[in-house]
């Protein structure tokens, strides 16, 4: 079974449903911070125990004054005990809050790092089907939702549980007969909370999804703002944004409606009234003292806070769960993932073989039955009409894409069997649409290599690419910050930086995808001299309109509609390939001047 077939079967394998592993995912992070969690649980438990003890101490103080013979010493003791309880409870509350907040912020950091690492391991096919803005929202907003789920979400939920259980335990210690009303309330509260969660879960998920769509709209519009303005689409984009914003608002309103339909507060009011009647009856029969009644009512009133907090805390928990599901949807999506920890590691010699390669987006093939062999050090030129698959073929070299069938082999090893980082670190790609980052020019030059190049090495590569002169002419030279995607530089300047970046990486395979299209003829001639020096002894693939460069190639591949319709040298293809002959027919009578003209 070939590697390509294995990869295809892996992509077709059933994927985990979104959110299916939320529990194990969160527990794996919980296990890393047991100290913080133990401190939080201990602090919260002490806080609630002391909070429940306060009404008991107050009730005892009442009995000390209301007994037939008032006991002033006992009353003063209870006052001191009460002050001590409040002080210790404050310390316990600080420990509980600080430890959980420290853990929650650490978890948010870890989740973001895990998600970002997962994104970096995805292949191009993954990003082709997901908006960048939505992925950004998952790294930022959804990770923050996981933080809020813990602090204050789970913190309040834990407080709610202790705030319910501890007072009821203390009520039982006062008189077991007083448990009737609290236990009935507890059962009804649990049923109402379950129904509340059932309605809130889908509403919270829809809210996070609409937020992702809104973020995607903003990201796409800002990234393409020049196109929006140039085509007069400002009003249309504003309408589209309002549609997304309205959808998010509507989802948030539906979530608020689900949260507003919260019944436990009404149940508590009924429980307080029933508890008062029941306690008063026991006092009237002499079965209960006034102090015990005061303590009972104080403990019943203590149920008010957890009951009211449940709505807010459960809402945060479900939002966090929705965020965790969206994060796991990316992490567990194996369709676009690449295994960067395993695979073949070696220095590339430069042999490249395409063996009956087929690749497409969906059912329509972009490349079909493509086969050829390139020996180390050869220069290969790709020729063909627009849309014939030239750029896609180059993207299969460094595993940006994986073949649907067939194999791409480098030095006899399928690209899918190579360690991705090892493979790509030895293949430099210079594309027509150069991507630069919003960093300094020096950082962009060094981006193509794993090591830290010296300033002298940066300048040497820049001189070879004829970029040194314009770089030193900028405000801060090599420390000049470039705009997003290099917007502050011209197309030719961006391409020269990209060429310098490739030269600095010292690749074994060099890929030039129409890399000098934005450079004037005089500058391009100088750059080609540097590229030829860099390509010496390296396997080079190029897509170019320059006839002089096509003629100098060791192998020319002619593509049409995703198939290779001719391969050989320039002279051989003029005789044997009708499409190649037709492309160059207008220039045949100018053979002697084929040194710089372009193919259009």
């Amino acid at each position: 079974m070939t590697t390509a077939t294995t990869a295809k079967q892996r992509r077709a394998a059933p994927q985990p449903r979104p959110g299916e592993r939320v529990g194990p995912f969160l527990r794996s992070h919980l296990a890393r911070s047991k100290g913080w969690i133990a401190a939080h649980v201990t602090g919260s438990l002490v806080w609630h125990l002391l909070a429940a003890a306060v009404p008991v101490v107050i009730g005892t103080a009442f009995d000390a004054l209301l007994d037939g013979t008032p006991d002033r010493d006992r009353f003063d003791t209870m006052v001191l005990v009460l002050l001590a309880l409040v002080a210790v409870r404050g310390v316990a509350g600080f420990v509980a809050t600080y430890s959980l907040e420290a853990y929650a912020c650490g978890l948010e950091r870890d989740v973001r790092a895990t998600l970002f690492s997962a994104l970096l391991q995805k292949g191009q096919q993954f990003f082709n089907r997901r908006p960048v803005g939505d992925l950004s929202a998952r790294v930022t907003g959804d990770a923050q939702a996981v933080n809020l789920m813990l602090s204050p979400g789970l913190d309040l939920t834990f407080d709610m549980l202790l705030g319910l259980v501890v007072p009821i335990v203390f009520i039982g210690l006062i008189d077991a007969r007083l448990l009737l009303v609290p236990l009935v309330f507890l059962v009804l509260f649990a049923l109402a909370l379950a129904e509340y969660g059932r309605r809130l879960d889908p509403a919270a998920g829809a809210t996070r999804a609409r937020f992702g769509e809104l973020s995607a709209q903003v990201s796409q519009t800002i990234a393409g703002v020049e196109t929006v303005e140039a085509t007069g689409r400002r009003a249309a984009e504003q309408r589209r944004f309002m549609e997304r914003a309205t959808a998010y608002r509507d989802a948030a309103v539906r979530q608020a409606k689900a949260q507003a339909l919260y019944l436990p507060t009404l149940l508590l009011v009924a429980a307080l009234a029933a508890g008062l009647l029941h306690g008063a009856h026991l006092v009237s029969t002499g079965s209960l003292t006034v102090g015990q009644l005061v303590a009972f009512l104080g403990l019943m009133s203590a149920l008010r806070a957890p009951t009211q907090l449940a709505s807010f805390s459960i809402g945060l928990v479900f939002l966090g769960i929705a965020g965790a599901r969206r994060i796991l949807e990316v992490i567990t999506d194996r369709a676009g993932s690449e295994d960067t920890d395993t695979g073949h590691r070696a220095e590339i010699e430069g042999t490249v073989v395409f063996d009956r390669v087929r690749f497409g987006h969906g059912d329509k093939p972009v490349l079909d039955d493509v086969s050829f062999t390139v020996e180390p050090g050869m220069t290969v030129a790709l020729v063909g009409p627009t849309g014939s698959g030239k750029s896609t073929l180059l993207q299969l070299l460094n595993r940006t894409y994986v073949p649907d069938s067939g194999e791409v082999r480098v030095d006899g090893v399928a690209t899918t069997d190579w360690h991705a980082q090892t493979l790509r670190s030895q293949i430099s790609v210079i594309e027509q649409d150069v991507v630069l980052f919003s960093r300094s020019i020096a950082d962009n030059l060094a981006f193509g290599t794993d090591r830290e190049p010296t300033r002298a090495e940066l300048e040497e590569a820049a001189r070879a690419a004829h970029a040194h002169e314009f770089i030193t002419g900028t405000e801060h030279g090599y420390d000049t910050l470039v705009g997003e995607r290099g917007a502050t530089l011209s197309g030719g300047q961006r391409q020269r930086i990209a060429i310098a970046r490739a030269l600095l990486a010292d690749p074994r395979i060099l890929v030039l995808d129409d890399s000098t299209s934005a450079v004037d003829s005089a500058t391009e001639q100088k750059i080609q001299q540097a590229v030829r020096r860099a390509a010496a002894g390296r396997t080079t693939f190029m897509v170019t309109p320059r006839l002089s460069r096509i003629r100098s190639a060791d192998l020319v591949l002619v593509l049409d509609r995703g198939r290779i319709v001719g391969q050989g040298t320039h002279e051989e293809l003029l005789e044997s390939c009708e499409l190649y002959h037709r492309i160059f027919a207008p220039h045949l009578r100018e053979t002697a001047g084929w040194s710089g003209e372009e193919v259009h």
Side-chain angles (χ1 to χ4, degrees), residues 232-354:
R233 295 287 296 174
R234 181 188 299 176
E237 288 302 303
Q238 287 176 336
R239 287 194 300 270
R240 187 178 179 86
F241 176 80
M242 283 304 298
E243 291 174 0
R244 297 287 187 277
T246 300
Y248 174 61
R249 189 276 314 270
D250 292 344
V253 168
R254 285 193 293 271
Q255 180 184 333
K257 180 180 178 181
Q259 290 176 298
L261 296 174
Y262 183 69
L263 296 179
T265 50
L266 297 177
L267 295 175
L268 178 63
V269 172
L272 288 173
L276 177 60
L277 292 175
H278 185 214
H281 171 71
L282 293 177
V283 171
S284 67
T285 60
S287 302
L288 202 67
T289 67
V290 174
Q292 289 174 319
L293 177 62
V294 170
F296 168 64
L297 293 178
L299 290 168
M300 284 294 293
S301 297
L303 300 178
R304 183 187 305 276
T307 301
Q308 292 175 339
L309 281 177
S311 172
F312 179 64
S313 62
I314 296 299
L316 290 176
V317 168
F318 276 104
L319 273 177
I321 290 174
R325 283 175 179 158
R326 283 167 48 81
I327 290 170
L328 275 173
E329 184 184 352
V330 172
I331 294 175
T332 60
D333 187 348
R334 306 307 303 170
S337 294
E338 300 170 339
D339 188 355
T340 58
D341 297 325
T342 59
H344 181 69
R345 300 170 188 254
E347 183 175 344
I348 291 177
E349 295 181 4
T351 302
V352 176
V353 176
F354 274 60

Side-chain angles (χ1 to χ4, degrees), residues 351-355 357 397 406-415 418:
T351 302
V352 176
V353 176
F354 274 60
D355 184 8
V357 169
L397 273 175
E407 279 189 339
V408 178
R409 294 191 291 272
V410 175
D411 291 349
V413 179
T415 55
W418 274 86

Side-chain angles (χ1 to χ4, degrees), residues 175-193:
D175 193 315
R177 291 172 296 178
L178 294 173
L179 288 174
L180 176 62
V181 172
L183 290 179
V184 171
F185 165 74
L186 199 60
V187 172
L188 295 177
F189 175 77
L191 295 175
L193 209 59

